[in-house]
Amino acid sequence: MRKRVYLAILLSGLAGLPMSLVAQSGSPITGKIIAKSDGQPLAGATITSKSGKSVIKADKDGNYTINAQSGDFLIIKNVGYLSREIPLTGNGFQLIELEADITKLDEVVVTGLASGVKRSNLANAVTSLNAKDITGTVPPQTVDNTLFGKLPGANVRINSGAPGGGVSIQLRGISTLQGASQPLYIIDGVYLNNNTLQTGRSAVSGAGATNQDDAANRIADLNPEDIENIEILKGSSASAIYGTRANAGVIIITTKKGKAGRTKISFEQDAGFATIQRYMGSAPWDEQKINTYFPESRRQIELERLKSAQGKTYDFEKIFFGETPLLLASKLSLSGGNERTQFFVSGALNKEDGIMKNTGFDRRSIRANIDHKLNDRVSFSLNSNYLNSNTDRGFTGNQNNTGASIGYNIAYLPNYYNPFPDEQGNYPDSPYSLAQNPLAVRDKGINNVKINRVIEAASLKVKLFENSNSSLDFAAQGGIDFLSSNSLIYLPEDLQYQRNQANPGDVIIGRENNFNGNFQAFLVHKLNSGGFSFHTQVGSVYLTTERNLLFNRGRGLIAGQKNLTQAAVQSVYQHYDEKVKDYGVVAQHELNYKDIVIGTVGVRFDKSTLNGDANKFYVFPKASLATNLAKLPGWQSETVSQLKLRGAYGQTGGLASFGATYTALSPTVIGGLVGSQLSSVAGNRAIKPERAGELELGADIGFFNNRLLLEATWYNKNVSDLIQDLNLAGASGISTKKVNAADLRNRGVELALSGTPVQQENIRWSSRVLFWSNRTKITRLDVPSYLSGSYGATFGTYLYKEGYSPTTIVGNPQISPGVYTVWGDSQPDFQSSWFNDITLYKNFSLSFLLHWKKGGDVLNITLYNTDNGGTTKDWNEDYNNDGVPNGKDRPGKGTAGVYVQNADFVRLREAGLSYTIPKAYLKQVTKGKIENIRLGVSANNLFTFTKYKGYDPEASNFGTTAINTGTDLFQYPSSKRILFQLKVDF
Amino acid sequence: MTIQLKHILIVGLTALSFTSCKLETIEDPNNPSIGSVTHNATKGQLQTLITGVESRSRGYLSTTANALGTFGREIWYFNSSDARFVQVWTGQTVKVPDANFYSVGSIYASPYQTIKQANVLLEAADNTQAINEQERFAIRGFAKTIQGYQYIIPANALYTNGIRIDVADESNPGPFVSYEEALQAIRKILDEGYADLQKAGTTFPFKLTAGFNGFNTPAGLGKVNRALAARVAIYQKDWTAALNYLKDSFLDPNQSFDLGPSHVYGGPPDTFNPLFYVLNASVSSIGAVHPSLLTDAIPGDKRVEAKFFKRSSPLVNTVGTVPLSSDYQDKRWATNSSPIPFIRNEELILIKAEAEAQLAHWDNSIESINQVRAKAGIGAYTGAKSKDALITEILFQRRYSLWYEPSGHRWVDLRRYNRLNEIPVDLDKGTVFEKLERPLSEWNWDDYVSK
């Protein structure tokens, strides 16, 4: 990371004036370097004469003057562009155009804790997304929403369509069988909190455990516009240096920096709307259906209701999910500085309402990134970010008996029922199964989360020693991520369900603080000697996290009141504290021979209070080797411009969840006495971290001066010592005990083919095809085989058994005691994506991203409910002609096979069209005051092709979990977003 | 190369200075640990474990009452949010309960959690000097009485599938034993508890909740213990023993029929009475009175009046494969903090009637039956003085006297007399179950141990 910072400072410092780094000879030759795509000057491009005598940098206007002989060659390089070799034929002025390098081979990738490696020298397939990849096509609502289809090896799925994020990212399969199997997030060196914070909605709606709150994981708070770059270390071989928390990979986010020079002001305004992606539809009702659906005692009144409706019907899906909300985003950034100090300051306001009334997501962000160079030896930076978000996600998903889930509720309403309030505003009671008027829940219920968050990242770099071929630096870095959440869940006393309770009205008010603080100090040594360069770093890292939450509940509320003191029954819903400390020591040594052979060895020693023995070091080694065969002196091929063979092996850890070492006596109160009862989960003081060891092999082959690049990767990742709940015999009185008892294997391939098939004066087309596939298998299970997840064997649940993937779905009927029928697998067979970026006449830009997921089953429990409610679209039909309608047939079959459904899809993830006003014209009209104006229109999820009949083949009721994904149970329906953009740079 | 080695040395030494960081174990900030009570527990800690036993001992109630109540068609457990409560529990889809049968886990797991909690209490009491011998006997007597009661619940649910009795070591549970052996073992545990209570002095050195009011002395709890033993004895068809146990129980026809120990409930942080529903509530989940209770009742039966509430609009269940309807809901609970008794004087009178009938003491039996009939306002018994007639009569009275009580009496009673076919399933087109399967965790555990 530090190297990247320095490079930026160095480049920006030099950009102002052409400066020779090496003594020059020959006669001066002048020229200008511009980007081929838009004609912009490329400040800071390096120009080297092939004879090796002269090295020069272009000035801020792209101009250069170099001393060279005619007959020599100039080698032009600029980060992000393909290098060119130009023969010197005379002394005339040369205009040199560089073509953008979509392969990004020269870009420096942050791989170590205090260093980076040039992409062309990497031994791993590290996916890197720059600002254009992240926000270039469609301005995303949240950062996690930008990653779909862009990461080979990743299984990215949205938990629900509710505004405000909530996305699960699994890199290279499943890395743990418990917890979330989510990657570690690092932003500017700070450990970022990506927890899903509970809200209490599940308690008030009766859904059950907090994992059905449909809360967003907090990566959603970040402002995507601030991000310069995201690097994804997908497996242990790449992420080993992050040690004990890196089993599920590491996502490294770097925010934007200022550059020396004129202060640039950039303003962008987006406005658009969202609509539901698709409706499921519902079955009509008639007299005959009423006579079979309702029991005798109700038929008369229902027939009267049907009659009095006089043919009027209500499309509940449209009533509830048919809004087309306004989406607004305003973004402003200022950046600039001088040689010693650079700044990047930004602010953003986002306001996106949902497709259901009273839902929406607002975010405010302000950031200041400051870099300062004290003198030639000492420099530091401080990145400050304050974030505020306000999310209303409404009541959707699971519920039990409260009716407080819109989709669930309307699944049980016949279409002749009128739920609208009368003139006095009184909502009619619902006489149907869920006994709650859903409109009243939508209009009066509150599910609100407010987040205040501060992320501070600081770094210090001191050059301790430097001579012509070696240097020693001290680099320290640290920061905090403090997050405070205030949640409010409220169902007022006058709702139908509440009125029928002993204590009507229910409110849960939650306060949760999360704190991450980390610090690291490194010594970095570099040495160049005889074509070899050595790069050594040694340091230590420290992390502390704290979590404190207090949720209070009030029931029996005074009319209209939400304050807890207005409740007849006031209680502490949850009070919980958590504190963790990690400490690690890291050493890494890299050897590079002329960029031909690059080898790295490293080791990390980690300890954590989450381990049974808090003070024991666990060792995580790594080693990698990359060879650039095309850089061998004798390499002649014109076609193959790069040929890199690479291999890497590394180990990482996965920590037990907090509390795994404790056998607790939990509190209970009965009849005024307080007691202690033995927890049903026994802890284990011998618990150790899960350990992943990954071997990654690959080849990167560039053709035609790297205009076409193929990256092929194979990996085998074994995760051992997986923490399991040893399910004790039910009669033992303790359900489970934490043990290290399982191993699993992820094996997969990742292919990336990128290139620029067309590169002409007026049309430029670049394209990228990704393909990836992963297979998981439990290779050892030292606890009894078990079923876990979703809602049990009736609809399908997950099988944990040696020789099977834990994503295997089994369910009724039972074959023998404890052995169930296998119905499917939630893991996709493969995924593929196709990205295209087409520029026409230099000013029009069209880009789109298609994403194809093949395989991967969903447990469609929504269907079970719409069948029971008489509302499934094909309920009235009779596919098997047995005289019983489908809606009665399916639930009566007693097989989970009805609900385990294929969820293949092809989805247009992103599509965007933009127009940049020609620069020359703009300059003339605005007298140079405005540098750039871009207009655009873009869309997310415009089309989905799938046979799956629910709202979204990706839905996941239980949030971000390792295995228990893919349950469709009335999640907030997914929407498509369409945005118009205006961007002005001053 | 020498330069490099020198630098590595410097770097390495500097790094070593960082490694002095020692991490201390962080103790659980939220709960005490089990280790804090199993050795040298204070009197206060023993009290919290005892309260823990009492609290755990009600965990089985709602699922057991609703599931077994549905199996015996005392009720239908309507739950419109999850059709499986009707569909699976009435046997509309799954005809024979399997190892992962829907939502019956706590009928098995919860009593065993109580038994485990009581074992922790016994261990704590054995390993402390904070109490004297007499106090230790009091704790043992309490723990074993509760354990005896809790074992009955899984034993009746799993019936001939058997249960485990030896569960002291959670990592090495004893074998499954047959229903008969289980009942024998339960009686032994109750007998041991009773013997301990005899040596426990006159007062308890600990507090129980108001649920044990009238029974919160060694003598009082002894009467509860004997009542439970009498219940076990009739399951064993050991009629003489049943009568003997009753003599030392709280059986008293002149006292309130509701006399007996209860599980107590309250507002948070306590737990609400799980069977309470507001009268006429328009709710989607509720135990609905099975219509046969009304059609089969003797006109004027005060129990019908006291227990069944006629709603202004019927309870309707449209989920599952067959629509169902009931006009009545449970009327027994005044508030959401009403206590729920788990063995009552009325049951003891009926146990007496049954044991006497089985021993051909017709007049004694009829005397007890008439005590119940008089209270119900349905006049004296006029039927035949034969075992068959009297047992039919007693089962009928038990159906109304013990309706929808936590132990699921109706289902167990009909099974005891091979009359499960009398359970009415014509309305719901379901199946009558005989027993629950051993839970999946047990199959898996045995499988695991055998490897």
Side-chain angles (χ1 to χ4, degrees):
Chain A
M1 188 142 318
R2 211 138 289 60
K3 184 166 177 181
R4 168 180 275 282
V5 170
Y6 264 73
L7 203 63
I9 295 171
L10 201 65
L11 290 178
S12 49
L14 293 171
L17 65 163
M19 181 179 160
S20 91
L21 299 178
V22 181
Q24 300 184 16
S25 67
S27 53
I29 291 166
T30 58
K32 180 171 180 166
I33 300 170
I34 59 170
K36 188 169 180 183
S37 54
D38 58 2
Q40 287 290 296
L42 294 174
T46 60
I47 304 98
T48 317
S49 65
K50 200 174 186 184
S51 58
K53 299 280 162 47
S54 304
V55 181
I56 195 91
K57 280 183 183 292
D59 68 10
K60 66 177 170 33
D61 298 318
N63 293 317
Y64 65 91
T65 306
I66 189 166
N67 286 335
Q69 307 282 350
S70 182
D72 200 349
F73 288 84
L74 292 186
I75 300 164
I76 321 292
K77 288 185 176 176
N78 194 39
V79 173
Y81 290 83
L82 295 175
S83 301
R84 282 188 72 184
E85 210 171 284
I86 312 280
L88 276 180
T89 49
N91 291 341
F93 182 87
Q94 285 186 305
L95 185 67
I96 301 172
E97 289 183 325
L98 291 189
E99 216 176 281
D101 175 15
I102 63 161
T103 62
K104 304 169 193 164
L105 285 170
D106 284 337
E107 165 188 271
V108 173
V109 178
V110 179
T111 52
L113 291 174
S115 70
V117 161
K118 217 161 53 165
R119 173 166 291 275
S120 57
N121 288 344
L122 269 178
N124 292 95
V126 174
T127 303
S128 203
L129 302 177
N130 61 25
K132 192 177 180 226
D133 298 319
I134 299 161
T135 59
T137 304
V138 192
Q141 189 180 56
T142 57
V143 173
D144 45 9
N145 268 312
T146 70
L147 303 176
F148 293 104
K150 295 175 187 171
L151 310 179
N155 192 14
V156 183
R157 69 187 302 157
I158 191 163
N159 298 329
S160 90
V167 172
S168 161
I169 298 169
Q170 287 180 349
L171 301 171
R172 289 189 177 166
I174 292 145
S175 306
T176 182
L177 293 175
Q178 304 195 329
S181 198
Q182 294 296 295
L184 170 67
Y185 286 83
I186 307 281
I187 182 165
D188 295 338
V190 176
Y191 278 68
L192 191 73
N193 185 332
N194 186 36
N195 290 345
T196 303
L197 309 187
Q198 65 181 71
T199 63
R201 190 185 82 173
S202 297
V204 169
S205 72
T210 57
N211 62 359
Q212 299 188 61
D213 279 351
D214 184 31
N217 37 328
R218 295 302 351 153
I219 189 80
D221 295 326
L222 295 187
N223 175 14
E225 300 293 328
D226 283 349
I227 296 174
E228 175 72 29
N229 187 291
I230 299 179
E231 274 152 18
I232 295 99
L233 310 181
K234 287 177 278 199
S236 308
S237 57
S239 63
I241 214 72
Y242 285 90
T244 196
R245 286 176 183 262
N247 259 5
V250 182
I251 294 187
I252 301 165
I253 299 170
T254 308
T255 60
K256 289 174 179 165
K257 295 271 178 196
K259 284 179 185 162
R262 199 173 67 81
T263 298
K264 286 185 177 171
I265 302 172
S266 180
F267 175 75
E268 184 178 339
Q269 178 66 46
D270 306 335
F273 62 93
T275 62
I276 190 171
Q277 283 187 21
R278 63 198 306 210
Y279 291 109
M280 292 194 293
S282 74
W285 290 76
D286 58 19
E287 196 178 322
Q288 190 206 340
K289 185 171 174 183
I290 286 172
N291 283 329
T292 54
Y293 182 81
F294 289 99
E296 182 72 48
S297 64
R298 265 287 284 284
R299 284 172 196 161
Q300 199 50 45
I301 189 166
E302 289 303 326
L303 290 171
E304 279 162 26
R305 283 181 181 132
L306 176 70
K307 200 175 160 195
S308 65
Q310 294 178 317
K312 175 156 176 56
T313 57
Y314 298 86
D315 185 337
F316 294 112
E317 283 186 294
K318 288 212 168 86
I319 290 169
F320 285 96
F321 305 132
E323 307 291 329
T324 48
L326 185 64
L327 315 177
L328 291 170
S330 311
K331 307 149 198 174
L332 179 69
S333 70
L334 290 84
S335 69
N338 57 28
E339 281 173 48
R340 291 183 59 190
T341 307
Q342 299 90 36
F343 66 90
F344 170 83
V345 178
S346 76
L349 296 171
N350 292 64
K351 183 170 172 53
E352 298 206 358
D353 286 343
I355 55 167
M356 184 166 78
K357 260 188 192 156
N358 295 329
T359 63
F361 173 66
D362 295 357
R363 179 179 54 219
R364 289 163 279 272
S365 162
I366 185 160
R367 167 177 290 277
N369 288 359
I370 310 291
D371 291 88
H372 181 71
K373 196 173 173 184
L374 204 59
N375 55 40
D376 286 346
R377 288 181 172 272
V378 181
S379 62
F380 64 85
S381 72
L382 180 66
N383 297 354
S384 298
N385 190 196
Y386 168 76
L387 295 151
N388 170 281
S389 68
N390 183 8
T391 315
D392 287 285
R393 289 166 81 96
F395 290 84
T396 55
N398 195 16
Q399 61 81 45
N400 274 299
N401 312 320
T402 62
S405 162
I406 299 305
Y408 212 131
N409 198 317
I410 63 177
Y412 288 85
L413 297 182
N415 62 357
Y416 54 85
Y417 167 67
N418 177 1
F420 286 94
D422 63 17
E423 281 161 12
Q424 284 76 45
N426 300 313
Y427 291 82
D429 277 1
S430 161
Y432 301 102
S433 284
L434 296 204
Q436 173 78 277
N437 183 320
L439 269 176
V441 172
R442 182 194 71 179
D443 295 348
K444 297 179 172 189
I446 298 176
N447 168 16
N448 178 265
V449 177
K450 290 187 174 70
I451 302 275
N452 281 294
R453 186 167 188 171
V454 175
I455 302 170
E456 295 287 334
S459 72
L460 169 72
K461 189 166 180 178
V462 181
K463 201 163 273 303
L464 299 174
F465 164 85
E466 185 171 33
N467 68 14
S468 62
N469 63 0
S470 73
S471 67
L472 181 66
D473 291 348
F474 172 78
Q477 191 175 41
I480 58 142
D481 175 5
F482 177 76
L483 186 162
S484 166
S485 164
N486 293 327
S487 62
L488 168 67
I489 308 291
Y490 172 60
L491 292 178
E493 81 298 333
D494 60 352
L495 290 179
Q496 183 180 349
Y497 168 76
Q498 295 297 332
R499 275 187 278 114
N500 287 291
Q501 297 304 297
N503 299 295
D506 201 345
V507 65
I508 290 187
I509 293 179
R511 299 277 184 270
E512 175 165 355
N513 288 336
N514 281 215
F515 173 83
N516 283 1
N518 68 298
F519 176 76
Q520 66 177 49
F522 274 79
L523 285 170
V524 181
H525 179 250
K526 291 176 195 165
L527 172 74
N528 294 309
S529 171
F532 286 93
S533 71
F534 303 93
H535 197 143
T536 309
Q537 48 179 298
V538 180
S540 62
V541 296
Y542 177 76
L543 168 70
T544 181
T545 71
E546 276 188 52
R547 186 169 165 228
N548 308 95
L549 66 91
L550 181 59
F551 278 65
N552 289 308
R553 184 172 192 176
R555 278 172 281 184
L557 293 167
I558 287 173
Q561 296 302 303
K562 297 186 279 285
N563 189 300
L564 289 164
T565 57
Q566 306 282 346
V569 181
Q570 302 167 16
S571 59
V572 177
Y573 173 66
Q574 198 180 2
H575 178 198
Y576 177 80
D577 293 326
E578 194 177 295
K579 188 178 171 81
V580 177
K581 289 177 182 173
D582 288 3
Y583 175 72
V585 181
V586 182
Q588 179 173 307
H589 185 64
E590 180 194 316
L591 176 149
N592 182 336
Y593 178 69
K594 293 184 172 172
D595 282 353
I596 296 169
V597 178
I598 305 97
T600 308
V601 291
V603 64
R604 177 159 172 158
F605 302 87
D606 266 353
K607 52 189 178 183
S608 169
T609 57
L610 290 174
N611 297 327
D613 182 348
N615 216 33
K616 179 177 173 173
F617 273 116
Y618 291 88
V619 185
F620 303 100
K622 72 170 226 179
S624 68
L625 187 69
T627 56
N628 281 311
L629 299 178
K631 288 193 175 164
L632 286 168
W635 190 266
Q636 296 290 333
S637 172
E638 288 290 315
T639 318
V640 178
S641 45
Q642 192 208 8
L643 176 57
K644 180 171 72 175
L645 301 178
R646 51 190 168 79
Y649 178 82
Q651 291 189 355
T652 51
L655 289 170
S657 57
F658 185 79
T661 57
Y662 308 136
T663 303
L665 292 170
S666 51
T668 179
V669 170
I670 178 169
L673 300 175
V674 61
S676 289
Q677 56 189 23
L678 187 61
S679 160
S680 63
V681 180
N684 184 349
R685 287 277 179 190
I687 211 83
K688 53 186 180 178
E690 298 177 343
R691 176 180 296 269
E694 184 197 54
L695 176 67
E696 173 181 327
L697 300 172
D700 299 347
I701 311 168
F703 303 93
F704 317 118
N705 194 23
N706 292 339
R707 273 181 65 177
L708 184 67
L709 184 73
L710 173 70
E711 294 171 278
T713 304
W714 172 89
Y715 60 85
N716 185 67
K717 181 176 177 184
N718 290 311
V719 195
S720 56
D721 291 334
L722 286 164
I723 295 168
Q724 284 290 282
D725 288 328
L726 172 60
N727 285 279
L728 300 175
S732 72
I734 294 176
S735 334
T736 58
K737 183 175 181 175
K738 296 279 179 195
V739 288
N740 294 94
D743 299 348
L744 67 75
R745 184 185 72 201
N746 287 298
R747 200 175 264 180
V749 292
E750 295 161 10
L751 300 173
L753 183 66
S754 51
T756 312
V758 178
Q759 170 96 35
Q760 287 171 3
E761 179 69 23
N762 287 326
I763 177 165
R764 183 177 175 278
W765 169 34
S766 63
S767 189
R768 183 180 69 216
V769 178
L770 305 176
F771 171 92
W772 64 103
S773 174
N774 181 78
R775 308 283 5 121
T776 307
K777 187 174 173 179
I778 295 178
T779 50
R780 175 179 74 104
L781 189 66
D782 279 354
V783 299
S785 158
Y786 60 99
L787 305 179
S788 178
S790 199
Y791 296 98
T794 322
F795 313 121
T797 181
Y798 292 98
L799 172 68
Y800 293 71
K801 188 172 185 177
E802 199 168 300
Y804 287 80
S805 169
T807 53
T808 306
I809 301 168
V810 299
N812 284 349
Q814 184 178 243
I815 296 164
S816 63
V819 179
Y820 289 82
T821 313
V822 175
W823 287 111
D825 190 327
S826 68
Q827 182 158 256
D829 300 339
F830 66 81
Q831 297 187 62
S832 182
S833 73
W834 186 30
F835 176 74
N836 288 284
D837 186 11
I838 299 161
T839 307
L840 291 170
Y841 299 102
K842 297 193 174 172
N843 296 318
F844 285 98
S845 172
L846 170 72
S847 54
F848 63 90
L849 175 67
L850 273 171
H851 182 191
W852 175 23
K853 191 193 82 167
K854 175 80 175 70
D857 298 312
V858 160
L859 309 171
N860 187 354
I861 303 171
T862 295
L863 174 65
Y864 180 71
N865 283 284
T866 52
D867 274 351
N868 273 301
T871 59
T872 315
K873 193 177 181 190
D874 64 357
W875 198 100
N876 305 353
E877 294 166 52
D878 183 9
Y879 293 156
N880 59 2
N881 294 313
D882 65 348
V884 180
N886 294 336
K888 283 282 176 195
D889 254 351
R890 281 184 293 243
K893 279 195 177 125
T895 157
V898 174
Y899 308 105
V900 180
Q901 298 183 339
N902 177 284
D904 292 358
F905 64 80
V906 175
R907 184 166 266 184
L908 183 61
R909 287 285 183 194
E910 299 182 356
L913 178 66
S914 69
Y915 172 69
T916 307
I917 293 176
K919 296 242 157 34
Y921 173 74
L922 191 65
K923 198 168 183 174
Q924 189 191 339
V925 171
T926 66
K927 299 190 171 59
K929 282 182 183 128
I930 296 178
E931 199 166 282
N932 189 37
I933 294 180
R934 190 172 70 127
L935 300 158
V937 57
S938 61
N940 274 125
N941 298 330
L942 207 51
F943 300 107
T944 303
F945 304 97
T946 179
K947 285 181 182 164
Y948 186 70
K949 290 197 172 72
Y951 287 123
D952 192 338
E954 291 187 281
S956 183
N957 181 61
F958 296 96
T960 44
T961 67
I963 313 290
N964 196 12
T965 57
T967 292
D968 180 342
L969 184 58
F970 299 111
Q971 282 80 24
Y972 194 112
S974 299
S975 54
K976 42 188 150 191
R977 299 160 72 243
I978 292 147
L979 287 161
F980 299 91
Q981 298 137 262
L982 168 68
K983 188 166 193 276
V984 185
D985 297 319
F986 301 93
Chain B
M1 277 309 189
T2 51
I3 299 169
Q4 195 209 0
L5 288 175
K6 188 178 82 184
H7 284 307
I8 287 175
L9 204 63
I10 295 169
V11 165
L13 287 173
T14 320
L16 274 179
S17 65
F18 292 115
T19 62
S20 56
C21 181
K22 184 174 181 342
L23 293 185
E24 301 293 343
T25 299
I26 293 174
E27 291 304 326
D28 189 346
N30 301 301
N31 295 297
S33 71
I34 185 172
S36 67
V37 295
T38 43
H39 289 280
N40 301 321
T42 64
K43 267 191 162 173
Q45 286 173 321
L46 290 171
Q47 173 66 53
T48 61
L49 290 176
I50 286 164
T51 301
V53 170
E54 205 188 331
S55 180
R56 277 280 190 227
S57 77
R58 60 183 176 172
Y60 73 95
L61 192 142
S62 111
T63 303
T64 310
N66 288 324
L68 271 51
T70 301
F71 297 168
R73 299 300 190 274
E74 298 180 83
I75 59 155
W76 281 314
Y77 184 64
F78 285 174
N79 187 322
S80 296
S81 292
D82 199 325
R84 288 176 291 178
F85 285 103
V86 162
Q87 213 177 348
V88 180
W89 282 6
T90 62
Q92 288 176 346
T93 46
V94 181
K95 305 293 181 190
V96 177
D98 57 35
N100 205 20
F101 195 66
Y102 179 63
S103 207
V104 293
S106 80
I107 299 175
Y108 189 83
S110 189
Y112 276 113
Q113 282 182 343
T114 316
I115 292 161
K116 180 71 187 175
Q117 171 83 13
N119 280 332
V120 171
L121 170 63
L122 287 168
E123 188 185 351
D126 283 346
N127 291 321
T128 182
Q129 304 300 317
I131 49 172
N132 62 32
E133 271 309 289
Q134 187 173 298
E135 290 169 327
R136 198 164 284 129
F137 278 121
I139 290 175
R140 280 185 195 154
F142 167 76
K144 287 179 178 171
T145 300
I146 299 295
Q147 283 186 330
Y149 174 57
Q150 297 284 314
Y151 274 117
I152 299 172
I153 300 158
N156 273 343
L158 272 64
Y159 191 44
T160 52
N161 284 323
I163 58 165
R164 293 187 206 266
I165 292 292
D166 173 12
V167 291
D169 178 358
E170 73 260 15
S171 303
N172 190 21
F176 273 84
V177 299
S178 69
Y179 183 57
E180 290 72 26
E181 286 171 89
L183 293 174
Q184 197 57 45
I186 293 167
R187 243 170 87 172
K188 182 161 170 278
I189 290 163
L190 288 170
D191 287 346
E192 286 169 9
Y194 187 67
D196 290 336
L197 289 169
Q198 303 303 304
K199 299 176 217 161
T202 54
T203 56
F204 276 145
F206 50 80
K207 279 185 276 187
L208 297 176
T209 67
F212 284 91
N213 278 356
F215 303 99
N216 55 6
T217 59
L221 193 66
K223 289 180 181 175
V224 174
N225 178 299
R226 297 296 81 184
L228 292 166
R231 186 193 276 181
V232 175
I234 65 164
Y235 296 151
Q236 293 181 296
K237 303 184 169 58
D238 188 348
W239 313 110
T240 313
L243 290 177
N244 285 331
Y245 284 136
L246 286 176
K247 283 178 193 145
D248 296 324
S249 76
F250 58 89
L251 168 68
D252 185 348
N254 301 316
Q255 288 273 352
S256 161
F257 275 22
D258 287 336
L259 183 68
S262 303
H263 300 301
V264 295
Y265 295 94
D270 206 335
T271 307
F272 289 124
N273 176 324
L275 303 181
F276 170 82
Y277 289 92
V278 171
L279 296 179
N280 265 327
S282 130
V283 290
S284 63
S285 132
I286 191 169
V289 181
H290 193 274
S292 66
L293 268 301
L294 280 304
T295 50
D296 295 350
I298 295 168
D301 191 330
K302 288 180 186 164
R303 291 170 297 192
V304 170
E305 170 68 24
K307 297 182 185 192
F308 309 146
F309 173 77
K310 180 153 201 222
R311 295 169 53 90
S312 52
S313 66
L315 288 165
V316 164
N317 170 76
T318 54
V319 302
T321 40
V322 181
L324 302 173
S325 175
S326 168
D327 292 335
Y328 291 83
Q329 75 177 90
D330 186 359
K331 193 185 181 182
R332 294 172 295 169
W333 318 111
T335 70
N336 61 358
S337 56
S338 300
I340 301 179
F342 56 90
I343 187 161
R344 293 187 299 120
N345 197 13
E346 190 169 4
E347 180 182 345
L348 301 183
I349 294 167
L350 287 163
I351 290 174
K352 183 164 189 302
E354 184 179 344
E356 299 282 17
Q358 286 287 355
L359 293 168
H361 306 152
W362 314 126
D363 293 338
N364 288 355
S365 176
I366 291 168
E367 185 190 359
S368 292
I369 289 169
N370 281 339
Q371 286 162 359
V372 172
R373 290 184 68 104
K375 198 80 156 190
I378 50 174
Y381 176 71
T382 54
K385 284 187 182 183
S386 71
K387 191 159 106 179
D388 199 44
L390 284 169
I391 293 300
T392 302
E393 167 68 11
I394 289 161
L395 290 180
F396 181 84
Q397 296 307 331
R398 282 177 67 95
R399 184 180 177 194
Y400 286 88
S401 285
L402 309 181
W403 175 79
Y404 195 17
E405 292 200 358
S407 298
H409 289 294
R410 180 68 180 162
W411 183 57
V412 177
D413 285 351
L414 292 181
R415 190 174 62 194
R416 287 197 287 134
Y417 288 99
N418 289 319
R419 297 184 186 202
L420 284 173
N421 58 1
E422 290 180 16
I423 292 176
V425 295
D426 47 325
L427 290 172
D428 55 48
K429 313 250 185 320
T431 315
V432 176
F433 299 137
E434 187 196 19
K435 60 194 171 187
L436 290 180
E437 183 55 275
R438 282 182 201 169
L440 191 52
S441 69
E442 297 290 1
W443 292 99
N444 286 340
W445 180 262
D446 284 346
D447 198 33
Y448 171 65
V449 172
S450 69
K451 274 181 194 163

